Amino acid sequence: MTADLTPDDKDAMAAEYALGLLSGDDFAQAQHLATTDRGFAQSVTNWEIRLATLTDELEPEKPNPASKKELLAKLFPNPKPTSFWERVWVWQAAGALSLLLLAVVLVIDFAGQPTATGPLYTAEIVTEAGDFRVVAVLDKSTDEVFLTRTAGAAPEGRILQVWAHGEGEPAISVGLWSEGDTIRLPLPQTIAAVEGVLTLGVSEEPPGGSLTGSPSGRVFGTIDITGVTGRI
Amino acid sequence: MTAEQRDEIEALIAQVALGNQTAFSHLYEATSGKLLAVCLRVLNERAAAEDAMQEVYVKVWSKADRYQVTGHSPMTWLITIARNTAIDRLRSRKIDRNIADYSERIAEPGPSPEQSAVAASESRRIVACLDELEADRRAAITGAYLDGKSYKDLSEQFAVPLNTMRTWLRRGLSDLRECMSR
Protein backbone atom coordinates (compact mmCIF):
# COMPACT_ATOMS: atom_id res chain seq x y z
CA MET A 1 0.00 0.00 0.00
CA THR A 2 2.65 2.44 1.09
CA ALA A 3 4.91 1.66 -1.85
CA ASP A 4 2.79 3.79 -4.18
CA LEU A 5 3.10 6.88 -1.98
CA THR A 6 5.84 9.34 -2.92
CA PRO A 7 7.72 11.02 -0.03
CA ASP A 8 5.72 14.19 -0.75
CA ASP A 9 2.45 12.26 -0.64
CA LYS A 10 3.47 10.71 2.63
CA ASP A 11 4.35 14.05 4.16
CA ALA A 12 1.06 15.54 2.96
CA MET A 13 -0.75 12.60 4.50
CA ALA A 14 1.16 13.12 7.76
CA ALA A 15 0.02 16.75 7.79
CA GLU A 16 -3.58 15.73 7.12
CA TYR A 17 -3.33 13.16 9.89
CA ALA A 18 -1.98 15.76 12.31
CA LEU A 19 -4.82 18.09 11.36
CA GLY A 20 -7.39 15.31 11.74
CA LEU A 21 -8.58 15.73 8.16
CA LEU A 22 -8.51 12.09 7.15
CA SER A 23 -11.39 9.66 7.23
CA GLY A 24 -12.21 6.17 6.03
CA ASP A 25 -9.47 4.22 4.25
CA ASP A 26 -7.05 7.16 4.26
CA PHE A 27 -7.39 7.48 8.01
CA ALA A 28 -6.86 3.76 8.50
CA GLN A 29 -3.78 3.82 6.29
CA ALA A 30 -2.31 6.83 8.11
CA GLN A 31 -3.00 5.31 11.50
CA HIS A 32 -1.28 2.11 10.39
CA LEU A 33 1.73 4.08 9.14
CA ALA A 34 1.91 6.12 12.35
CA THR A 35 2.35 2.96 14.36
CA THR A 36 4.67 1.10 11.98
CA ASP A 37 6.69 3.62 9.94
CA ARG A 38 9.14 5.72 11.94
CA GLY A 39 9.64 8.23 9.15
CA PHE A 40 5.92 8.81 8.90
CA ALA A 41 5.48 9.08 12.67
CA GLN A 42 8.25 11.64 12.69
CA SER A 43 6.58 13.64 9.91
CA VAL A 44 3.36 13.72 11.94
CA THR A 45 5.26 15.03 14.97
CA ASN A 46 7.04 17.61 12.82
CA TRP A 47 3.70 18.83 11.56
CA GLU A 48 2.32 19.00 15.09
CA ILE A 49 5.32 21.13 16.06
CA ARG A 50 4.85 23.43 13.06
CA LEU A 51 1.11 23.76 13.53
CA ALA A 52 1.32 24.31 17.29
CA THR A 53 2.94 27.66 16.55
CA LEU A 54 -0.46 28.77 15.21
CA THR A 55 -1.36 29.15 18.89
CA ASP A 56 1.63 31.44 19.58
CA GLU A 57 -0.41 34.59 19.57
CA LEU A 58 -3.05 33.26 21.97
CA GLU A 59 -2.74 35.03 25.31
CA PRO A 60 -3.03 32.78 28.38
CA GLU A 61 -6.42 32.73 30.08
CA LYS A 62 -6.83 32.43 33.82
CA PRO A 63 -8.58 29.17 34.64
CA ASN A 64 -11.23 29.01 37.33
CA PRO A 65 -9.45 27.93 40.58
CA ALA A 66 -12.26 25.45 41.25
CA SER A 67 -11.26 23.70 38.06
CA LYS A 68 -7.88 22.68 39.47
CA LYS A 69 -9.39 21.47 42.74
CA GLU A 70 -11.88 19.38 40.83
CA LEU A 71 -9.13 17.95 38.65
CA LEU A 72 -6.91 17.01 41.58
CA ALA A 73 -9.84 15.45 43.41
CA LYS A 74 -10.65 13.44 40.31
CA LEU A 75 -7.08 12.23 39.76
CA PHE A 76 -6.06 11.69 43.37
CA PRO A 77 -9.28 10.77 45.15
CA ASN A 78 -7.59 8.72 47.80
CA PRO A 79 -4.44 10.21 49.30
CA LYS A 80 -3.30 6.74 50.29
CA PRO A 81 -2.69 4.64 47.18
CA THR A 82 -3.71 1.00 47.08
CA SER A 83 -0.89 -1.07 48.30
CA PHE A 84 1.05 -3.35 46.04
CA TRP A 85 -0.22 -6.40 47.85
CA GLU A 86 -3.87 -5.43 47.58
CA ARG A 87 -3.46 -5.11 43.85
CA VAL A 88 -1.41 -8.24 43.51
CA TRP A 89 -3.81 -10.53 45.35
CA VAL A 90 -6.52 -9.62 42.93
CA TRP A 91 -4.76 -10.69 39.81
CA GLN A 92 -1.87 -12.88 40.61
CA ALA A 93 -1.61 -14.51 44.00
CA ALA A 94 0.72 -17.15 42.60
CA GLY A 95 2.92 -14.51 41.01
CA ALA A 96 3.20 -12.73 44.31
CA LEU A 97 4.42 -15.87 45.97
CA SER A 98 7.11 -16.28 43.37
CA LEU A 99 8.13 -12.64 43.91
CA LEU A 100 8.54 -13.34 47.56
CA LEU A 101 10.64 -16.42 46.85
CA LEU A 102 12.70 -14.42 44.42
CA ALA A 103 13.12 -11.73 47.05
CA VAL A 104 14.45 -14.23 49.54
CA VAL A 105 16.75 -15.76 46.94
CA LEU A 106 18.03 -12.34 45.97
CA VAL A 107 18.71 -11.25 49.48
CA ILE A 108 20.53 -14.45 50.30
CA ASP A 109 22.37 -14.24 47.01
CA PHE A 110 23.47 -10.66 47.43
CA ALA A 111 23.90 -10.21 51.11
CA GLY A 112 25.38 -13.64 51.61
CA GLN A 113 23.11 -14.27 54.53
CA PRO A 114 19.42 -14.01 55.25
CA THR A 115 18.55 -10.72 56.84
CA ALA A 116 16.11 -10.51 59.66
CA THR A 117 17.06 -7.14 61.06
CA GLY A 118 14.87 -4.85 58.98
CA PRO A 119 11.64 -4.83 57.02
CA LEU A 120 11.77 -6.17 53.47
CA TYR A 121 9.43 -4.88 50.77
CA THR A 122 8.90 -6.31 47.31
CA ALA A 123 7.37 -4.56 44.35
CA GLU A 124 7.18 -4.93 40.61
CA ILE A 125 7.58 -2.19 38.02
CA VAL A 126 5.72 -3.07 34.83
CA THR A 127 4.93 -1.14 31.66
CA GLU A 128 1.30 -0.88 30.66
CA ALA A 129 1.94 -3.29 27.78
CA GLY A 130 3.85 -5.66 30.07
CA ASP A 131 6.89 -5.64 27.77
CA PHE A 132 9.21 -4.45 30.52
CA ARG A 133 9.26 -5.79 34.06
CA VAL A 134 11.52 -5.26 37.00
CA VAL A 135 11.15 -6.90 40.39
CA ALA A 136 12.38 -4.68 43.20
CA VAL A 137 13.22 -5.68 46.71
CA LEU A 138 13.70 -2.91 49.21
CA ASP A 139 15.81 -3.95 52.16
CA LYS A 140 15.47 -1.50 55.02
CA SER A 141 17.97 -3.38 57.15
CA THR A 142 20.73 -2.17 54.87
CA ASP A 143 18.84 0.60 53.02
CA GLU A 144 19.47 -0.98 49.67
CA VAL A 145 17.29 -1.85 46.75
CA PHE A 146 17.78 -5.00 44.67
CA LEU A 147 16.40 -4.97 41.18
CA THR A 148 15.95 -7.82 38.73
CA ARG A 149 14.86 -7.46 35.14
CA THR A 150 12.38 -10.18 34.22
CA ALA A 151 11.32 -8.80 30.83
CA GLY A 152 12.50 -6.15 28.38
CA ALA A 153 15.66 -4.06 28.35
CA ALA A 154 16.94 -0.56 27.59
CA PRO A 155 17.05 0.19 23.85
CA GLU A 156 20.36 -0.32 22.03
CA GLY A 157 22.94 2.22 23.19
CA ARG A 158 20.91 3.28 26.24
CA ILE A 159 21.01 2.28 29.89
CA LEU A 160 18.51 2.04 32.72
CA GLN A 161 18.33 4.50 35.57
CA VAL A 162 16.52 3.95 38.85
CA TRP A 163 14.57 6.76 40.54
CA ALA A 164 12.77 7.13 43.85
CA HIS A 165 10.82 9.66 45.83
CA GLY A 166 8.75 10.02 48.96
CA GLU A 167 5.18 11.28 48.87
CA GLY A 168 5.00 14.74 47.29
CA GLU A 169 8.79 14.87 46.98
CA PRO A 170 10.72 15.31 43.75
CA ALA A 171 12.18 12.09 42.37
CA ILE A 172 15.93 11.71 42.60
CA SER A 173 18.31 9.25 41.02
CA VAL A 174 19.05 6.12 43.01
CA GLY A 175 21.62 4.93 40.53
CA LEU A 176 22.52 3.79 37.05
CA TRP A 177 21.87 0.29 35.80
CA SER A 178 24.19 -0.02 32.86
CA GLU A 179 24.33 -3.76 32.44
CA GLY A 180 23.29 -7.12 33.82
CA ASP A 181 19.94 -8.55 34.81
CA THR A 182 20.34 -7.70 38.47
CA ILE A 183 21.70 -4.80 40.42
CA ARG A 184 22.06 -3.73 44.02
CA LEU A 185 21.94 -0.01 44.77
CA PRO A 186 22.37 1.72 48.12
CA LEU A 187 19.55 4.21 48.75
CA PRO A 188 20.51 7.89 48.77
CA GLN A 189 20.10 9.43 52.21
CA THR A 190 16.89 11.32 51.38
CA ILE A 191 15.30 8.13 50.07
CA ALA A 192 16.50 6.04 53.00
CA ALA A 193 14.77 8.58 55.24
CA VAL A 194 11.39 8.17 53.52
CA GLU A 195 8.63 6.74 55.66
CA GLY A 196 5.15 5.88 54.42
CA VAL A 197 4.90 5.78 50.64
CA LEU A 198 8.13 5.27 48.71
CA THR A 199 7.83 5.39 44.93
CA LEU A 200 10.33 3.57 42.72
CA GLY A 201 10.67 4.09 38.97
CA VAL A 202 12.88 3.00 36.10
CA SER A 203 13.66 4.98 32.95
CA GLU A 204 15.93 4.50 29.97
CA GLU A 205 18.68 7.07 29.56
CA PRO A 206 21.83 7.84 27.60
CA PRO A 207 25.01 6.10 28.81
CA GLY A 208 26.14 7.99 31.89
CA GLY A 209 22.58 8.67 32.95
CA SER A 210 20.17 11.58 32.61
CA LEU A 211 21.84 14.96 32.41
CA THR A 212 18.84 16.83 33.78
CA GLY A 213 18.50 15.36 37.27
CA SER A 214 15.12 13.99 36.26
CA PRO A 215 14.27 11.22 33.81
CA SER A 216 15.01 12.37 30.27
CA GLY A 217 14.03 9.17 28.48
CA ARG A 218 11.02 6.87 28.57
CA VAL A 219 9.81 6.02 32.05
CA PHE A 220 8.91 2.33 31.98
CA GLY A 221 6.79 2.53 35.07
CA THR A 222 6.61 3.36 38.74
CA ILE A 223 5.40 1.56 41.80
CA ASP A 224 4.34 2.88 45.19
CA ILE A 225 5.56 0.87 48.14
CA THR A 226 3.32 1.71 51.08
CA GLY A 227 3.84 1.45 54.78
CA VAL A 228 7.60 1.85 54.60
CA THR A 229 9.17 2.20 58.01
CA GLY A 230 12.74 2.78 59.07
CA ARG A 231 15.31 0.30 60.31
CA ILE A 232 14.51 -1.80 63.31
CA MET B 1 9.39 30.97 26.12
CA THR B 2 12.91 31.10 27.53
CA ALA B 3 15.22 28.09 27.61
CA GLU B 4 14.92 28.02 31.42
CA GLN B 5 11.12 27.89 31.28
CA ARG B 6 11.34 25.14 28.69
CA ASP B 7 13.74 23.14 30.86
CA GLU B 8 11.59 23.68 33.91
CA ILE B 9 8.47 22.39 32.19
CA GLU B 10 10.41 19.47 30.79
CA ALA B 11 11.69 18.60 34.28
CA LEU B 12 8.15 18.83 35.67
CA ILE B 13 6.84 16.46 32.99
CA ALA B 14 9.65 14.03 33.85
CA GLN B 15 8.65 14.18 37.52
CA VAL B 16 4.98 13.73 36.59
CA ALA B 17 5.98 10.61 34.66
CA LEU B 18 7.28 9.23 37.95
CA GLY B 19 3.93 9.86 39.61
CA ASN B 20 4.93 13.02 41.48
CA GLN B 21 1.68 14.80 42.40
CA THR B 22 3.38 17.98 43.56
CA ALA B 23 5.15 18.31 40.21
CA PHE B 24 1.80 17.78 38.51
CA SER B 25 0.35 20.67 40.49
CA HIS B 26 3.28 22.91 39.49
CA LEU B 27 2.95 21.85 35.87
CA TYR B 28 -0.69 22.83 35.97
CA GLU B 29 0.16 26.24 37.41
CA ALA B 30 2.82 26.83 34.78
CA THR B 31 0.87 25.73 31.71
CA SER B 32 -2.89 25.79 32.30
CA GLY B 33 -3.27 29.44 31.18
CA LYS B 34 -1.94 28.68 27.73
CA LEU B 35 -3.78 25.39 27.38
CA LEU B 36 -7.04 27.00 28.44
CA ALA B 37 -6.48 29.67 25.78
CA VAL B 38 -6.03 26.92 23.17
CA CYS B 39 -9.20 25.09 24.30
CA LEU B 40 -11.13 28.37 24.38
CA ARG B 41 -9.96 29.32 20.88
CA VAL B 42 -11.27 26.00 19.53
CA LEU B 43 -14.44 25.64 21.58
CA ASN B 44 -15.40 29.31 21.93
CA GLU B 45 -17.14 28.70 25.19
CA ARG B 46 -15.65 29.10 28.64
CA ALA B 47 -17.33 26.19 30.46
CA ALA B 48 -16.66 23.78 27.61
CA ALA B 49 -13.04 24.93 27.44
CA GLU B 50 -12.46 24.45 31.19
CA ASP B 51 -14.00 21.01 30.87
CA ALA B 52 -11.79 20.08 27.95
CA MET B 53 -8.77 21.37 29.83
CA GLN B 54 -9.46 18.99 32.69
CA GLU B 55 -9.48 16.13 30.24
CA VAL B 56 -6.18 17.43 28.84
CA TYR B 57 -4.51 17.23 32.25
CA VAL B 58 -5.93 13.78 32.94
CA LYS B 59 -4.21 12.70 29.71
CA VAL B 60 -1.02 14.51 30.70
CA TRP B 61 -1.00 12.67 34.02
CA SER B 62 -1.47 9.27 32.42
CA LYS B 63 0.74 9.80 29.37
CA ALA B 64 3.63 11.82 30.80
CA ASP B 65 5.83 8.73 30.56
CA ARG B 66 5.38 8.88 26.78
CA TYR B 67 6.45 12.49 26.42
CA GLN B 68 10.17 11.90 25.90
CA VAL B 69 9.68 9.46 23.06
CA THR B 70 7.38 11.70 21.03
CA GLY B 71 10.12 14.12 20.04
CA HIS B 72 8.02 17.18 20.88
CA SER B 73 9.21 20.17 22.82
CA PRO B 74 7.34 20.30 26.13
CA MET B 75 4.92 23.08 25.16
CA THR B 76 4.16 21.71 21.68
CA TRP B 77 3.41 18.34 23.26
CA LEU B 78 0.96 19.95 25.71
CA ILE B 79 -0.56 22.21 23.05
CA THR B 80 -1.03 19.27 20.68
CA ILE B 81 -2.88 17.32 23.37
CA ALA B 82 -5.01 20.37 24.18
CA ARG B 83 -5.79 21.13 20.54
CA ASN B 84 -6.66 17.50 19.73
CA THR B 85 -8.82 17.13 22.83
CA ALA B 86 -10.70 20.35 22.12
CA ILE B 87 -11.16 19.49 18.43
CA ASP B 88 -12.46 16.04 19.40
CA ARG B 89 -15.03 17.65 21.65
CA LEU B 90 -15.99 20.21 19.02
CA ARG B 91 -16.51 17.51 16.44
CA SER B 92 -18.38 15.17 18.73
CA ARG B 93 -20.95 17.94 19.01
CA LYS B 94 -21.47 17.60 15.29
CA ILE B 95 -20.34 14.19 14.16
CA ASP B 96 -18.56 11.25 15.68
CA ARG B 97 -15.15 11.23 14.16
CA ASN B 98 -11.87 9.64 14.98
CA ILE B 99 -8.83 11.83 15.33
CA ALA B 100 -5.15 10.98 15.39
CA ASP B 101 -4.10 9.61 18.73
CA TYR B 102 -0.63 10.94 19.40
CA SER B 103 -0.05 8.27 22.03
CA GLU B 104 -0.16 5.36 19.64
CA ARG B 105 2.70 6.60 17.56
CA ILE B 106 5.82 4.54 16.94
CA ALA B 107 8.62 6.36 18.65
CA GLU B 108 12.33 6.93 18.84
CA PRO B 109 14.07 7.28 22.20
CA GLY B 110 14.41 11.04 22.35
CA PRO B 111 13.98 13.56 19.58
CA SER B 112 15.82 12.95 16.33
CA PRO B 113 18.21 15.63 15.07
CA GLU B 114 15.65 16.40 12.41
CA GLN B 115 12.94 17.02 14.96
CA SER B 116 15.14 19.21 17.09
CA ALA B 117 15.87 21.21 13.97
CA VAL B 118 12.20 21.49 13.16
CA ALA B 119 11.48 22.64 16.69
CA ALA B 120 14.28 25.16 16.83
CA SER B 121 14.46 26.74 13.41
CA GLU B 122 10.89 26.64 12.27
CA SER B 123 8.96 27.52 15.34
CA ARG B 124 8.80 31.27 14.86
CA ARG B 125 8.41 31.23 11.13
CA ILE B 126 4.99 29.77 10.58
CA VAL B 127 3.28 33.13 10.86
CA ALA B 128 5.59 34.73 8.31
CA CYS B 129 5.23 31.71 6.06
CA LEU B 130 1.46 31.71 6.38
CA ASP B 131 1.52 35.30 5.21
CA GLU B 132 3.27 34.17 2.05
CA LEU B 133 0.44 31.78 1.24
CA GLU B 134 -2.61 32.75 -0.76
CA ALA B 135 -5.31 34.00 1.58
CA ASP B 136 -7.65 31.09 0.83
CA ARG B 137 -5.04 28.45 1.56
CA ARG B 138 -4.04 30.18 4.74
CA ALA B 139 -7.64 30.34 5.89
CA ALA B 140 -8.08 26.66 5.06
CA ILE B 141 -5.07 25.59 7.16
CA THR B 142 -6.00 27.66 10.21
CA GLY B 143 -9.63 26.58 9.79
CA ALA B 144 -8.60 22.94 9.93
CA TYR B 145 -6.20 23.39 12.85
CA LEU B 146 -8.04 25.83 15.08
CA ASP B 147 -11.66 25.33 14.05
CA GLY B 148 -11.50 21.61 13.37
CA LYS B 149 -12.94 22.00 9.90
CA SER B 150 -13.19 18.91 7.72
CA TYR B 151 -12.55 18.84 3.98
CA LYS B 152 -16.32 18.88 3.55
CA ASP B 153 -16.70 22.00 5.72
CA LEU B 154 -13.88 23.70 3.87
CA SER B 155 -15.16 22.82 0.41
CA GLU B 156 -18.52 24.33 1.35
CA GLN B 157 -16.89 27.41 2.80
CA PHE B 158 -14.84 28.03 -0.34
CA ALA B 159 -17.50 26.71 -2.72
CA VAL B 160 -15.16 24.30 -4.49
CA PRO B 161 -15.45 20.54 -5.04
CA LEU B 162 -14.05 18.41 -2.24
CA ASN B 163 -11.18 17.02 -4.32
CA THR B 164 -10.15 20.51 -5.39
CA MET B 165 -10.19 21.55 -1.76
CA ARG B 166 -7.93 18.67 -0.84
CA THR B 167 -5.46 19.50 -3.64
CA TRP B 168 -5.44 23.14 -2.54
CA LEU B 169 -4.83 22.43 1.08
CA ARG B 170 -2.14 19.86 0.41
CA ARG B 171 -0.38 22.32 -1.87
CA GLY B 172 -0.70 24.99 0.80
CA LEU B 173 0.82 22.66 3.40
CA SER B 174 3.64 21.72 1.07
CA ASP B 175 4.39 25.42 0.37
CA LEU B 176 4.27 26.07 4.09
CA ARG B 177 6.76 23.32 4.85
CA GLU B 178 9.02 24.52 2.06
CA CYS B 179 8.92 28.09 3.37
CA MET B 180 9.51 27.07 6.99
CA SER B 181 12.51 24.90 6.23
CA ARG B 182 14.40 27.36 4.04
Side-chain angles (χ1 to χ4, degrees), chain A residues 43-73:
Chain A
S43 296
V44 175
T45 302
N46 288 347
W47 273 109
E48 285 172 348
I49 293 170
R50 289 184 191 113
L51 291 164
T53 54
L54 283 171
T55 67
D56 274 359
E57 80 278 18
L58 295 178
E59 285 302 320
E61 296 277 337
K62 206 172 157 35
N64 181 348
S67 199
K68 183 180 179 186
K69 271 193 198 143
E70 207 179 297
L71 171 71
L72 295 182

Side-chain angles (χ1 to χ4, degrees), chain B residues 67-85:
Chain B
Y67 159 68
Q68 287 296 345
V69 291
T70 63
H72 284 274
S73 74
M75 273 323 283
T76 62
W77 183 69
L78 294 168
I79 288 168
T80 301
I81 297 175
R83 181 266 174 187
N84 288 353
T85 303

Side-chain angles (χ1 to χ4, degrees), chain B residues 50-116:
Chain B
E50 297 250 6
D51 233 41
M53 194 182 65
Q54 282 210 4
E55 189 186 336
V56 170
Y57 281 97
V58 171
K59 289 180 184 169
V60 168
W61 174 250
S62 63
K63 294 178 193 297
D65 57 345
R66 300 272 314 155
Y67 159 68
Q68 287 296 345
V69 291
T70 63
H72 284 274
S73 74
M75 273 323 283
T76 62
W77 183 69
L78 294 168
I79 288 168
T80 301
I81 297 175
R83 181 266 174 187
N84 288 353
T85 303
I87 295 283
D88 268 356
R89 287 184 167 225
L90 184 72
R91 286 181 176 164
S92 69
R93 285 184 196 161
K94 298 185 238 169
I95 183 176
D96 191 30
R97 189 189 178 118
N98 216 341
I99 195 168
D101 182 348
Y102 57 89
S103 71
E104 286 170 10
R105 193 103 32 87
I106 187 170
E108 298 280 0
S112 67
E114 186 196 337
Q115 269 162 354
S116 303

Side-chain angles (χ1 to χ4, degrees), chain A residues 8-9 11-13 15-23 26-27 31 34-38 41-42 44-64 67-68 70-72 74-76 155 158 163 165 168-171 199 201 204 213-219 222, chain B residues 11 14-15 17-22 24-25 28-29 32-34 36-38 40-41 46 50 53-54 57-58 61 65 68-72 76 79-80 83 91 97-101 104-109 112 114-115 118-119 122-124 126 130 142 144-145 149-151 166 169-170 173 177 180:
Chain A
D8 277 355
D9 281 346
D11 193 67
M13 190 180 236
E16 290 174 310
Y17 186 65
L19 283 166
L21 280 170
L22 298 174
S23 56
D26 288 338
F27 177 79
Q31 196 171 40
T35 50
T36 53
D37 179 332
R38 283 187 201 282
Q42 200 165 83
V44 175
T45 302
N46 288 347
W47 273 109
E48 285 172 348
I49 293 170
R50 289 184 191 113
L51 291 164
T53 54
L54 283 171
T55 67
D56 274 359
E57 80 278 18
L58 295 178
E59 285 302 320
E61 296 277 337
K62 206 172 157 35
N64 181 348
S67 199
K68 183 180 179 186
E70 207 179 297
L71 171 71
L72 295 182
K74 197 189 318 181
L75 280 178
F76 319 124
R158 312 270 290 178
W163 305 86
H165 67 84
E169 301 292 321
T199 305
E204 53 90 1
S214 284
S216 68
R218 177 184 175 198
V219 174
T222 62
Chain B
Q15 289 286 336
L18 289 173
N20 185 329
Q21 298 180 7
T22 312
F24 180 76
S25 175
Y28 182 96
E29 291 302 327
S32 56
K34 182 70 181 189
L36 179 58
V38 172
L40 197 57
R41 170 63 184 80
R46 187 101 199 167
E50 297 250 6
M53 194 182 65
Q54 282 210 4
Y57 281 97
V58 171
W61 174 250
D65 57 345
Q68 287 296 345
V69 291
T70 63
H72 284 274
T76 62
I79 288 168
T80 301
R83 181 266 174 187
R91 286 181 176 164
R97 189 189 178 118
N98 216 341
I99 195 168
D101 182 348
E104 286 170 10
R105 193 103 32 87
I106 187 170
E108 298 280 0
S112 67
E114 186 196 337
Q115 269 162 354
V118 168
E122 295 187 350
S123 65
R124 294 288 148 190
I126 193 167
L130 276 170
T142 52
Y145 187 73
K149 290 200 169 145
S150 64
Y151 275 134
R166 189 172 185 186
L169 192 113
R170 293 181 86 157
L173 288 164
R177 183 188 57 162
M180 288 178 84

Side-chain angles (χ1 to χ4, degrees), chain A residues 177-202:
Chain A
W177 186 355
S178 312
E179 52 185 21
D181 292 338
T182 344
I183 194 165
R184 174 172 63 169
L185 295 167
L187 296 179
Q189 220 164 15
T190 39
I191 299 305
V194 169
E195 302 211 343
V197 182
L198 193 157
T199 305
L200 278 177
V202 177

Side-chain angles (χ1 to χ4, degrees), chain A:
Chain A
M1 265 275 263
T2 61
D4 44 30
L5 286 178
T6 67
D8 277 355
D9 281 346
K10 249 178 153 176
D11 193 67
M13 190 180 236
E16 290 174 310
Y17 186 65
L19 283 166
L21 280 170
L22 298 174
S23 56
D25 289 348
D26 288 338
F27 177 79
Q29 188 185 1
Q31 196 171 40
H32 176 71
L33 283 174
T35 50
T36 53
D37 179 332
R38 283 187 201 282
F40 183 82
Q42 200 165 83
S43 296
V44 175
T45 302
N46 288 347
W47 273 109
E48 285 172 348
I49 293 170
R50 289 184 191 113
L51 291 164
T53 54
L54 283 171
T55 67
D56 274 359
E57 80 278 18
L58 295 178
E59 285 302 320
E61 296 277 337
K62 206 172 157 35
N64 181 348
S67 199
K68 183 180 179 186
K69 271 193 198 143
E70 207 179 297
L71 171 71
L72 295 182
K74 197 189 318 181
L75 280 178
F76 319 124
N78 182 359
K80 194 168 167 280
T82 358
S83 84
F84 171 70
W85 292 112
E86 278 168 63
R87 265 177 281 168
V88 161
W89 288 125
V90 180
W91 58 269
Q92 213 181 12
L97 190 66
S98 61
L99 284 192
L100 196 65
L101 285 174
L102 184 60
V104 171
V105 170
L106 278 175
V107 169
I108 294 173
D109 195 31
F110 274 104
Q113 54 184 16
T115 47
T117 50
L120 205 60
Y121 305 87
T122 59
E124 191 180 27
I125 296 163
V126 193
T127 51
E128 228 167 85
D131 57 341
F132 180 92
R133 286 170 183 269
V134 161
V135 177
V137 179
L138 182 67
D139 184 353
K140 288 299 288 180
S141 71
T142 56
D143 276 330
E144 287 172 321
V145 61
F146 303 83
L147 299 133
T148 298
R149 233 160 19 84
T150 54
E156 190 67 29
R158 312 270 290 178
I159 63 158
L160 299 174
Q161 187 161 5
V162 182
W163 305 86
H165 67 84
E167 214 168 356
E169 301 292 321
I172 63 169
S173 174
V174 175
L176 304 182
W177 186 355
S178 312
E179 52 185 21
D181 292 338
T182 344
I183 194 165
R184 174 172 63 169
L185 295 167
L187 296 179
Q189 220 164 15
T190 39
I191 299 305
V194 169
E195 302 211 343
V197 182
L198 193 157
T199 305
L200 278 177
V202 177
S203 69
E204 53 90 1
E205 302 292 342
S210 167
L211 299 169
T212 64
S214 284
S216 68
R218 177 184 175 198
V219 174
F220 289 111
T222 62
I223 188 75
D224 294 335
I225 303 174
T226 55
V228 174
T229 56
R231 292 178 198 221
I232 295 174

